[in-house]
Amino acid sequence: MESLPPWGDQRQRRVTPVSDAALVAAIRAILAACPFHGEGYLKVRARLAHRGWAVGGKRVLRVMRTHGLLAPCRLGPPNGNPAHMGRSSPTGPT
């Protein structure tokens, strides 16, 4: 006879009793209190957890991305294009 795992036949998904609207309001309050231009989802999730909100990181990321609340990120290399746009050596003596 095959024994069943401790969770039974089906795994049940834990659902946080917080609506997305309430979560967005809490995230906006956290971002408004922040002295910086923006925060990433990890810090926002940590601050939510510190306030007693048990919300998953993927959900915080999804909500912040949907509502345009993510911090702006830099695109590309920090010092410009790593490939030389022209000649890498001078044409003659300086």
Side-chain angles (χ1 to χ4, degrees):
M1 179 173 147
E2 182 181 334
S3 65
L4 293 175
W7 55 81
D9 287 337
Q10 297 177 356
R11 292 185 184 188
Q12 291 184 356
R13 192 172 188 189
R14 187 175 78 177
V15 179
T16 306
V18 178
S19 68
D20 280 352
L23 184 60
V24 169
I27 290 172
R28 286 185 193 274
I30 288 172
L31 293 176
C34 176
F36 303 108
H37 182 64
E39 289 282 1
Y41 78 98
L42 291 174
K43 285 187 178 180
V44 170
R45 183 190 175 275
R47 290 186 175 147
L48 285 170
H50 185 60
R51 294 180 182 188
W53 294 58
V55 182
K58 289 182 181 179
R59 184 177 180 198
V60 172
L61 176 62
R62 176 183 54 85
V63 168
M64 288 181 70
R65 184 180 291 143
T66 303
H67 293 278
L69 299 174
L70 284 174
C73 60
R74 297 180 186 151
L75 299 176
N79 298 323
N81 190 355
H84 294 286
M85 298 307 290
R87 301 179 90 163
S88 62
S89 59
T91 57
T94 56

